[in-house]
Amino acid sequence: MKMIDLRGKLPTHKTKRYSSRKLTDIRSIAIHHSLTFTGSPEAFATYHVNTNGWPGIAYTFVVQRDGTVYKCWDPEKVTYHVGNSNKHALGICMVGDFRTQQPTQEQYQATLELVRQLQNVIPSAQQIKGHSEYPGYSWKACPVIDMNEFRNDVDGKTSERDDSMNAAEKAEFDYLKSKVSSLENSNKVLKKGLQEQGSTIKKQSARIAELEKFQKMEAPSWAKPAVSAALAAGIIDSPSGGSYDFYRNLTILYRAGLMIKRGDL
């Protein structure tokens, strides 16, 4: 692990100063990402001082994407990075926006090694947390990486995936896994929709078949006397086929449930 000491070389506030603590006050190591595609300790320090009005850079260590580790403060400095938990947390920032990027293999391995060394030097700092795991920061997308996997990797535990995968490959694996899960959910929704449509089509097909059956129905037995009565009453001029069809259609409508007979009222 390559480490460059920048203590005392970065921009600081003209009047504000960070307070100090004992090493035994440090209970956890906080992992951050910079939320920038690129960056440097100098750039972060300038932003934290000039824009945020802080005493200096917020991180004790910054890990560049090539794996270089920059030491910005002594661990005893209480920097601003996790709100009310600052006094008991030491901050490490990996350069990158891990919402869309992934840590490089060199960067990831350097951060693991740095955390292991810090835990050896500071026995009280046995907790490893992502920024979003601290009280009041569940809303924050930082550092986005899988912290359970990171903790397992610090401990040297084998994950359920192939150990031969590097950080970038593991990230791709997680991405593909999430896409598969999303497709499976979409397929379930589509299947349900098709089943509902299939049920509707089946009902409509049965209805059409029923109506077609009615269309093939012969004229009812009472149609001929009715036509004769209509002819005698002068309602129609001649007993044509259309007259019989009229009564046949009335019967179809009745049997199809689309009308009622006068006697049913």
Side-chain angles (χ1 to χ4, degrees), residues 7 17 56 89 172 180 250:
R7 290 175 297 174
R17 296 291 180 267
E172 182 65 16
V180 169
L250 287 180

Side-chain angles (χ1 to χ4, degrees), residues 18-140:
Y18 283 132
S19 61
S20 298
R21 62 190 170 192
K22 299 176 183 178
L23 284 181
T24 52
D25 289 331
I26 303 174
R27 302 171 188 167
S28 65
I29 296 173
I31 305 299
H32 302 261
H33 68 148
S34 64
L35 277 171
T36 58
F37 291 122
T38 60
S40 66
E42 292 80 6
F44 301 149
T46 299
Y47 181 84
H48 291 165
V49 171
N50 295 340
T51 302
N52 294 351
W54 295 346
I57 188 171
Y59 315 114
T60 303
F61 295 93
V62 172
V63 184
Q64 192 52 267
R65 294 187 66 77
D66 65 0
T68 302
V69 176
Y70 295 92
K71 186 173 184 179
C72 305
W73 295 106
D74 288 320
E76 289 88 349
K77 287 295 181 182
V78 182
T79 60
Y80 299 165
H81 61 109
V82 284
N84 293 332
S85 301
N86 287 328
K87 182 177 179 180
H88 303 293
L90 182 151
I92 297 175
C93 178
M94 289 190 282
V95 177
D97 185 345
F98 300 154
R99 295 173 301 180
T100 55
Q101 290 178 300
Q102 293 296 329
T104 66
Q105 182 179 4
E106 296 81 5
Q107 183 181 37
Y108 190 83
Q109 293 301 323
T111 307
L112 292 177
E113 186 176 346
L114 174 60
V115 171
R116 293 184 189 117
Q117 289 188 10
L118 288 171
Q119 289 187 321
N120 287 333
V121 176
I122 312 171
S124 58
Q126 291 307 304
Q127 291 184 327
I128 305 170
K129 295 182 178 182
H131 189 173
S132 61
E133 294 179 308
Y134 282 86
Y137 287 98
S138 59
W139 58 271
K140 195 168 185 67

Side-chain angles (χ1 to χ4, degrees), residues 160-230:
E160 64 181 9
R161 298 196 293 273
D162 189 343
D163 242 7
S164 64
M165 288 192 293
N166 60 36
E169 290 169 337
K170 289 179 180 178
E172 182 65 16
F173 180 93
D174 286 335
Y175 171 76
L176 292 175
K177 187 176 178 181
S178 67
K179 294 296 287 184
V180 169
S181 177
S182 177
L183 287 173
E184 288 177 345
N185 290 333
S186 297
N187 285 338
K188 289 179 181 178
V189 173
L190 179 60
K191 185 177 180 180
K192 182 179 180 181
L194 290 175
Q195 289 174 339
E196 292 176 349
Q197 289 182 5
S199 177
T200 300
I201 291 173
K202 186 176 180 180
K203 290 178 180 178
Q204 291 176 341
S205 298
R207 184 61 172 168
I208 291 171
E210 182 181 9
L211 291 175
E212 288 177 344
K213 179 180 177 181
F214 288 141
Q215 286 293 333
K216 296 176 182 178
M217 185 182 67
E218 296 293 335
S221 60
W222 49 265
K224 187 174 181 180
V227 172
S228 298

Side-chain angles (χ1 to χ4, degrees), residues 108 112 116 128 146-160:
Y108 190 83
L112 292 177
R116 293 184 189 117
I128 305 170
D146 187 333
M147 285 305 301
N148 288 327
E149 182 178 341
F150 184 85
R151 285 184 280 264
N152 285 337
D153 289 342
V154 169
D155 293 336
K157 296 178 180 178
T158 302
S159 70
E160 64 181 9

